[in-house]
Structure formats: structure tokens, C-alpha cells
Amino acid sequence: MTELTGKRALITGISGQDGWYLTELLQQKGYEVHGILPSRAPGIGEAGPQLYYGDLADGTTLDSVFDQAQPDEVYNLAAQSHVRLSFDLPIYTADVTGVGALRVLEATRKFQDRAGKQVKFYQASSSEMFGKVVETPQSETTPFHPRSPYACAKVYAFWQTVNYRESYGMFAVNGILFNHESPRRGEAFVTRKITKAAARIKLGLQKSLQLGNLEARRDWGFAGDYVDAMWRMLQHDEPDDFVVATGETYSVRDCLDAAFTHLDLDWQKFVQTDTSLYRPAEVDLLRGDATKARENLGWEPKVSFARLIRMMVDHDLDLARRELRLQDMDLPE
Ligand code: F7E
């Protein structure tokens, strides 16, 4: 591995799942990591990056953060990233997820001029942009058909990134990442909701689980593998856009099977469907083709779907055991 000590990275959304894994990866590579987060978050502080408070809905502090962080690479991971919630908060989502990316791009362009050095920009684009898919598997050449306010905002940010590359010659890239999960995944996303519930049901802490559409299919990978693809995109000779995916697709039902079977439970006894958890428009099936990333970046996923779900269930079982002990001791958490 090349010695990279001395490089500086700025990560927006550093307190999210991907921000945490990316911080660890970059620190291992000798980067000095700086990050923007909207409020105090547990976990990431322990990793030791330099933190700044900021919200992409308010871009006024970005210039001064850039001047302090002096980044060589910028990773824009911040977003209102929950698809279902984006139907309730469409304008906020457009502002943070769409225009927020433009605010970071513009701050990067201006800082690049001030600093007189190249600053590389990574945009967290999403497979949700393919939405009502026109072909399967989806690749870099598949047209977009977004199906939610979140996906529309991501399409806007995608094209702004391409335009900054083409208009200003910036090293600006889009990683079109398919769903990626881990024990650090937010509890409102379906895999984590399932693994947490399975573990709590196993220990008698919960009796049932309410879910929406069980037939939806996703290409689920491990977040730890996917942040490595982000970094590789910024080390590539040319700025370009890449799909990052496993090439396999599973249903929510398959995820239930994998999680509950790992704990010797039959999910059918505990799961109820709740139509209020359905989305006004659903993305039925996603499966990515990451050939371009494999051939050009030498990237490939290492963790299978089955191993990923087991890893998440085992982690949530530890948390549930801790919850049970606290309950038995009648101590506040
Ligand atoms: O839903 C179905 C739901 O919320 C997956 C984000 O990171 O990945 C994520 O977006 C599927 C959908 O992820 C529940 O209808 C059923 O079909 O885990 P999710 P997502 O919407 O695919 C992409 C790549 C992103 O960019 C996003 O930021 O599961 N589903 N029942 C449910 N989903 C949730 N959340 N909760 C349920 O109860």
C-alpha cells in the first residue's frame, strides 16, 4: 500500500454509518480526517477526527470549515437518506440531499481556487435513482427513473456533480452505491430493523415486528466494503462515475429468513405487515452490475448477504443481552 500520510480528507455526514467506516479506512491509510456533523453523535468521536458542527441546509459555515480543514479530498455523504421519510419531508429532503450537495460542490470549487491545489470531490449517489428500473441489472448506462423525493434529490445532485466536472474540470465523481448495511446501520432501515427485532424477540424483549412491503428486492452489500470503493474512485487516473453493488438480489422476506433462522426462530410467527409502512411509490427490484468498478478500480465485495445478516444479528444479540442485564439490574441506560 502506498504511503499516503499527509493527505487531508473532509467528510460531510461523518456521524453516519458510511462516515464512520470511511473515517477508519482513511485513518489507516494515514489521512488526517475532518468531518461535518449536524449534532453530537456517539461513536465517531472515539475515532479522533476533527469535527465541525454544520447542516447542509445551511451552507454559511462551509467556507470557514474548508479553510480550517484544508482538504485534498471531500466526501459528501450527508443527506436526509430515509426514502419513506422523504415523502413526508419532500422540501427538506430536496434542500439537504439535493441542494446540499451543490453547496458542498460550490464550496469545494471556491476552496480549490483559494488554495491553488486540486481538491477531489466524491458524491454519494444512490441506486434509488434507477427507481422504476428500465433494465436489470442496472449499470452506469441505465437511465434514471426516480420514485421518491429522496431519489429525485439524488438525481439532481448526481447531475450537478457531472456538471462541475464538465464545466470547471473538477475531479468530481459519483459513486452509485446500492444498499449497504452493517451493525452500524440506522435502526429505521429494513435490514437493521429486522436484525434488531429478531435479537430482541429471541431474548423476550419484544413480541412482534411490523413491516411494510416484504416483496421488495434489493442488492444488499456490506458498508465496510463500499467505503473502500469510494476511496478508490478518488485515486483513479480520471474522474468518472461507478456503480458499486454485489450483483445479487434478495427480498425483504429473504432477509427475514436469514435473520430469524440464524436464531432458530420462525419469522412467520412474529411478523405482521402494516400498510402504513408501505411507500406511495415503491422500488420493486434493484440489482447492480459493478463490472466497471471491478475492471477499473480493482474493487470487489468481500462479504456475502448471508454473512452480512449474521454479523448484524450477532451484534444486535449482544446489544439485546446488555439491554436485558440493565433491565434485570433496574439501572438507567
Ligand atoms: O428499505 C422495504 C421498503 O429503508 C428497503 C437508503 O440507504 O438504500 C436505502 O434505501 C426495502 C424497501 O432502504 C419496511 O419498502 C418493508 O423496499 O432499508 P430501506 P431503501 O429505501 O432501499 C438506498 C441505496 C439509499 O440510497 C437510501 O438512502 O424494504 N420495507 N418494510 C421497509 N423498509 C423500512 N425502512 N422499514 C420497514 O418497515
Side-chain angles (χ1 to χ4, degrees), residues 33 76 93-94 159 285:
V33 179
N76 184 41
T93 303
W159 285 114
L285 181 148

Side-chain angles (χ1 to χ4, degrees), residues 10 36 39 47 165 168 177 207 212 220 242 248 329 333:
L10 176 62
I36 304 178
S39 58
R165 181 164 78 217
Y168 306 118
L177 269 54
K207 292 204 164 17
W220 275 297
F242 294 92
E248 291 180 8
M329 291 160 74
E333 278 192 54

Side-chain angles (χ1 to χ4, degrees), residues 23 39 73 133 158 192 208 259 281 289 303:
T23 296
S39 58
E73 295 176 7
V133 299
F158 174 94
R192 188 75 200 285
S208 61
D289 174 359
V303 179

Side-chain angles (χ1 to χ4, degrees), residues 27-299:
Q27 286 178 335
Q28 279 160 23
K29 293 184 184 298
Y31 280 63
E32 184 179 306
V33 179
H34 298 249
I36 304 178
L37 71 174
S39 58
R40 198 175 164 277
I44 190 68
E46 295 155 26
Q50 176 69 47
L51 300 177
Y52 310 85
Y53 294 106
D55 193 310
L56 292 197
D58 164 22
T60 53
T61 55
L62 279 175
D63 289 343
S64 97
V65 170
F66 270 74
D67 283 337
Q68 291 171 74
Q70 295 282 317
D72 301 292
E73 295 176 7
V74 176
Y75 295 85
N76 184 41
L77 311 186
Q80 189 306 93
S81 67
H82 200 275
V83 176
R84 173 72 193 79
L85 191 61
S86 78
F87 287 96
D88 298 331
L89 298 173
I91 296 173
Y92 175 75
T93 303
D95 195 20
V96 174
T97 307
V99 183
L102 175 61
R103 292 188 181 103
V104 182
L105 268 167
E106 186 59 7
T108 307
R109 184 180 73 83
K110 287 192 293 176
F111 172 71
Q112 189 170 259
D113 284 350
R114 281 200 301 285
K117 65 173 180 180
Q118 186 189 51
V119 184
K120 296 180 179 178
F121 176 89
Y122 172 88
Q123 167 60 18
S125 282
S126 165
S127 54
E128 281 295 298
M129 300 187 302
F130 297 122
K132 193 171 181 213
V133 299
V134 300
E135 63 182 7
T136 296
Q138 298 84 45
S139 74
E140 295 79 4
T141 56
T142 305
F144 300 143
H145 185 142
R147 293 271 276 175
S148 63
Y150 168 80
C152 291
K154 282 288 184 187
V155 170
Y156 175 82
F158 174 94
W159 285 114
Q160 286 290 9
T161 303
V162 172
N163 272 273
Y164 270 64
R165 181 164 78 217
E166 294 177 354
S167 305
Y168 306 118
M170 277 175 62
F171 196 109
V173 309
N174 286 287
I176 307 174
L177 269 54
F178 282 61
N179 298 52
H180 44 287
E181 320 293 312
S182 74
R184 297 173 184 173
R185 184 58 143 152
E187 293 173 4
F189 297 95
V190 80
T191 54
R192 188 75 200 285
K193 189 172 169 184
I194 289 172
T195 59
K196 185 183 173 194
R200 294 184 84 248
I201 287 170
K202 180 74 182 175
L203 296 194
L205 286 160
Q206 184 173 331
K207 292 204 164 17
S208 61
L209 169 63
Q210 272 69 44
L211 288 174
N213 178 14
L214 304 187
E215 310 310 327
R217 301 183 74 87
R218 289 290 182 277
D219 179 330
W220 275 297
F222 171 52
D225 289 344
Y226 285 33
V227 297
D228 176 49
M230 297 178 187
W231 175 77
R232 285 173 189 252
M233 283 177 220
L234 293 195
Q235 316 316 310
H236 192 50
D237 311 337
E238 298 287 328
D240 205 347
D241 307 320
F242 294 92
V243 157
V244 178
T246 68
E248 291 180 8
T249 186
Y250 294 91
S251 65
V252 173
R253 212 175 264 278
D254 294 331
C255 181
L256 281 164
D257 261 333
F260 280 72
T261 306
H262 185 47
L263 296 173
D264 297 318
L265 295 172
D266 174 5
W267 64 267
Q268 316 250 19
K269 294 187 180 143
F270 307 99
V271 174
Q272 286 113 36
T273 46
D274 175 349
T275 48
S276 72
L277 295 170
Y278 278 61
R279 295 161 185 196
E282 178 63 283
V283 172
D284 296 322
L285 181 148
L286 291 174
R287 181 162 76 83
D289 174 359
T291 306
K292 184 174 167 187
R294 195 167 54 245
E295 289 179 354
N296 291 272
L297 305 175
W299 177 85

